[in-house]
């Protein structure tokens, strides 16, 4: 429990809380080196180590592994590489801007193998059919948190192609909810246990979204041929965004394609593997050409999403990641962990402190707003110039503990703003144990000087403490 009795005039409670934050800037806590974003070549790893070829599935870009170029070094058509994802791979290869590999063994991050995640900008999980190990889940989550892109492609519930008792819905939900890095709904969505037989989910209207309107074309519809959707939870991650919806659904339900962020990385979800199936592959597999389905724009959706995840295209589709432009990657906040004491930040008296009554997440200092048990307002702010052409992500860890007992009324609130934009408001209702990382995409502020500000307002009785640590504003 992080918040025990407080010193000075502050009150506290045995109730520990956690908070929210934002999945955007990378606080590299116990991770390996961040994935480098190549200047001209964007590196994509397709997973084939989790039964992606079981049954009729053929979710590979080429039978030549790890390097598809060994099958054909200059492919001009999908049949030059063998696999139901060969159209995807060949389309990327033909641009001259992408390099692809296939992983056939355990996924690692920070290792020495040629398919270690540290060598790539994005990881594609095309309907995995075996559970990821504990070590693999740690590797994947740390890879994304440090700036990598993650493309999760599911199928309908019950699509257990290798009869091991697990399907892609369960496996991907397990990755998000049962890992050692962040299991508190880190991406802001969960995959629904559904089997939707057919349909053409429609894209939302957003001409500025780089996934829906990218260099590979405009997305209007996708395809469901026995698939599922996701339920979005923006209260857990404000960056989550539904882009394509099942007919009759909108908002937080029925999202067939969604994007989000985690740490400095980007995340995409697709609810069916049929749209990526190009109808060609290894002999004996029953395949369907969803890639070229005339009622949908699946190729544009897959390729634009790949560009966004790798950083080849910037723009906001739920948040940060690589910029792929002329931006120099950097962390812009001064004294981000408050270890230099009351410097750089502008703060109310007593906010930046090394008091032992509230534990810092790392080091000794943190920013402790409110916690007095009386009407009180604390502020913490810092102005920062975000260079033009950069993708930018604000992140921090927040711990909330409270003496309030209500489950319905927000008596005490913390508001987080960037410039004139309110990013989030948290309250005593969000109290839980420990620190939690969340993040916000603030790329819209590129080219400006903006003030990052935390404002804690406490009611007249019963304390709530908002404790901030390990902040970052990462640009790339």
């Amino acid at each position: 429990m992080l918040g025990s009795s407080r010193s000075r005039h502050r009150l506290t409670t045995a109730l520990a809380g956690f908070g929210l934050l934002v999945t955007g800037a990378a606080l590299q806590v116990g991770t390996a080196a961040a994935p480098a974003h190549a200047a001209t070549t964007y590196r994509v790893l397709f997973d084939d180590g989790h039964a992606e070829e079981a049954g009729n599935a053929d979710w590979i870009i080429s039978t030549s592994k790890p390097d598809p170029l060994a099958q054909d070094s200059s492919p001009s058509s999908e049949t030059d590489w063998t696999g139901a994802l060969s159209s995807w791979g060949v389309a990327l290869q033909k641009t001259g801007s992408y390099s692809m590999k296939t992983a056939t063994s355990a996924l690692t991050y920070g290792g020495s193998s040629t398919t270690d995640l540290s060598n790539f900008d994005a990881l594609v999980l095309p309907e995995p059919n075996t559970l990821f190990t504990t070590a693999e889940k740690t590797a994947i989550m740390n890879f994304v948190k440090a700036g990598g892109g993650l493309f999760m492609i599911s199928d309908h519930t019950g699509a257990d192609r290798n009869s091991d008792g697990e399907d892609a819905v369960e496996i991907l939900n397990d990755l998000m909810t049962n890992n050692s890095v962040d299991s508190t709904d880190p991406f802001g969505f969960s995959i629904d246990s559904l089997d939707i037989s057919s349909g053409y989910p429609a894209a939302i209207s957003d001409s500025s979204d780089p996934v829906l309107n990218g260099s590979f074309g405009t997305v209007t519809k996708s395809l469901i041929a026995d698939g599922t959707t996701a339920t979005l939870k923006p209260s857990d991650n404000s960056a989550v965004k539904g882009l394509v919806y099942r007919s009759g659904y909108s908002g937080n339900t029925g999202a067939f394609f969604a994007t989000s962020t985690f740490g400095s990385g980007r995340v995409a979800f697709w609810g069916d593997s049929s749209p990526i199936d190009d109808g060609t592959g290894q002999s004996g597999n029953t395949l369907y050409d969803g890639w070229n389905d005339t009622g949908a724009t699946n190729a544009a959706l897959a390729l634009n999403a790949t560009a966004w995840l790798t950083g080849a295209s910037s723009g906001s589709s739920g948040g940060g990641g690589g910029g792929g432009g002329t931006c120099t990657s950097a962390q812009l906040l001064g004294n981000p962990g408050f270890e230099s004491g009351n410097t750089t930040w502008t703060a109310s008296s007593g906010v930046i402190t090394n008091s032992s009554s509230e534990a810092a997440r790392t080091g000794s200092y943190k920013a402790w707003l409110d916690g007095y048990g009386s009407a009180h307002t604390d502020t913490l702010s810092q102005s920062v110039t975000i260079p033009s052409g950069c993708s930018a992500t604000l992140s921090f860890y927040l711990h909330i503990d409270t003496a309030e007992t209500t489950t319905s009324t927000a008596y005490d609130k913390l508001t987080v703003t960037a410039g004139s934009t309110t990013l989030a408001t948290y309250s005593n209702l969000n109290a839980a144990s420990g620190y939690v990382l969340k993040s916000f995409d603030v790329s819209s502020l590129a080219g400006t000087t903006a003030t990052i500000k935390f404002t804690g307002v406490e009611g007249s009785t019963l304390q709530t403490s908002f404790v901030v640590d390990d902040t970052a504003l990462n640009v790339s």
Side-chain angles (χ1 to χ4, degrees), residues 162-184:
N162 60 342
S163 302
D164 69 343
E166 304 290 347
D167 57 39
V169 173
E170 295 165 326
I171 291 163
L172 295 174
N173 277 334
D174 178 72
L175 169 64
M176 294 185 286
T177 62
N178 184 27
N179 66 80
S180 65
V181 179
D182 189 339
S183 295
T184 59

Side-chain angles (χ1 to χ4, degrees), residues 24 51 82 102 306:
T82 304
T102 299
T306 307

Side-chain angles (χ1 to χ4, degrees), residues 58-362:
D58 197 49
W59 311 140
I60 56 173
I61 55 174
S62 169
T63 51
S64 175
K65 309 166 195 175
D67 189 357
L69 295 179
Q71 183 173 15
D72 190 320
S73 61
S74 183
S76 59
S77 70
E78 65 179 81
T79 55
D80 290 336
W81 289 355
T82 304
L85 305 188
S86 61
S87 287
W88 189 349
V90 169
L92 292 175
Q93 182 65 31
K94 288 169 67 176
T95 69
S97 296
Y98 292 86
S99 155
M100 287 156 285
K101 294 288 190 295
T102 299
T104 58
S105 56
L107 297 170
T108 61
Y109 180 47
S112 59
S113 74
T114 58
T115 57
D116 185 83
L117 288 171
S118 63
N119 298 318
F120 296 91
D121 298 297
L123 168 66
V124 180
L125 302 178
E127 195 195 338
N129 251 251
T130 60
L131 287 167
F132 297 101
T133 66
T134 299
E136 285 181 310
K137 288 185 286 187
T138 298
I140 294 169
M141 296 298 290
N142 278 333
F143 165 70
V144 180
K145 189 166 89 168
L150 176 63
F151 204 155
M152 299 190 298
I153 300 167
S154 185
D155 201 356
H156 62 90
T157 190
D160 179 8
R161 297 179 184 270
N162 60 342
S163 302
D164 69 343
E166 304 290 347
D167 57 39
V169 173
E170 295 165 326
I171 291 163
L172 295 174
N173 277 334
D174 178 72
L175 169 64
M176 294 185 286
T177 62
N178 184 27
N179 66 80
S180 65
V181 179
D182 189 339
S183 295
T184 59
D185 193 24
F187 306 153
F189 66 85
S190 60
I191 303 172
D192 303 323
S193 295
L194 295 174
D195 183 351
I196 305 164
S197 60
S198 62
Y200 285 95
I204 65 171
S205 178
D206 187 345
S207 60
S208 66
D209 190 281
V211 175
L212 297 180
N213 297 274
S215 61
F216 292 98
T218 299
V219 176
T220 56
K221 290 186 177 182
S222 188
L223 163 75
I224 296 182
D226 287 314
T228 189
T229 55
T231 297
L232 311 186
K233 302 173 185 177
S235 61
D236 292 340
N237 185 334
S238 64
V240 70
K241 180 180 180 182
L243 301 186
V244 179
Y245 283 86
R246 179 185 179 189
S247 178
Y249 290 80
S250 63
N252 295 335
T253 59
F256 184 60
F257 196 103
T259 57
S260 189
T261 65
F262 176 64
S264 292
R266 295 173 169 178
V267 179
F269 159 79
W270 209 340
D272 195 358
S273 53
S274 297
I276 57 171
D277 186 344
D278 64 20
T280 68
Q282 300 172 84
S283 176
N285 289 327
T286 302
L287 301 172
Y288 170 76
D289 190 1
W291 185 265
N292 297 302
D293 190 294
T294 57
T297 47
N298 293 317
L301 184 52
L303 295 167
N304 285 345
T306 307
W308 179 72
L309 288 167
T310 59
S313 70
S314 56
S316 173
S317 181
T326 59
C327 181
T328 300
S329 297
Q331 195 291 110
L332 302 181
L333 290 177
N335 191 19
F338 309 105
E339 294 306 309
S340 297
N342 197 19
T343 64
T344 310
W345 296 88
T346 299
S348 300
S349 176
V351 165
I352 297 177
T353 177
N354 62 352
S355 167
S356 61
S357 296
E358 280 284 354
R361 180 180 176 272
T362 59

Side-chain angles (χ1 to χ4, degrees), residues 37-59:
H37 291 276
T40 58
T41 302
Y42 300 92
R43 304 156 303 171
V44 185
L45 181 66
F46 286 81
D47 182 48
D48 186 34
H50 297 86
E52 281 91 351
E53 296 179 68
N56 282 322
D58 197 49
W59 311 140

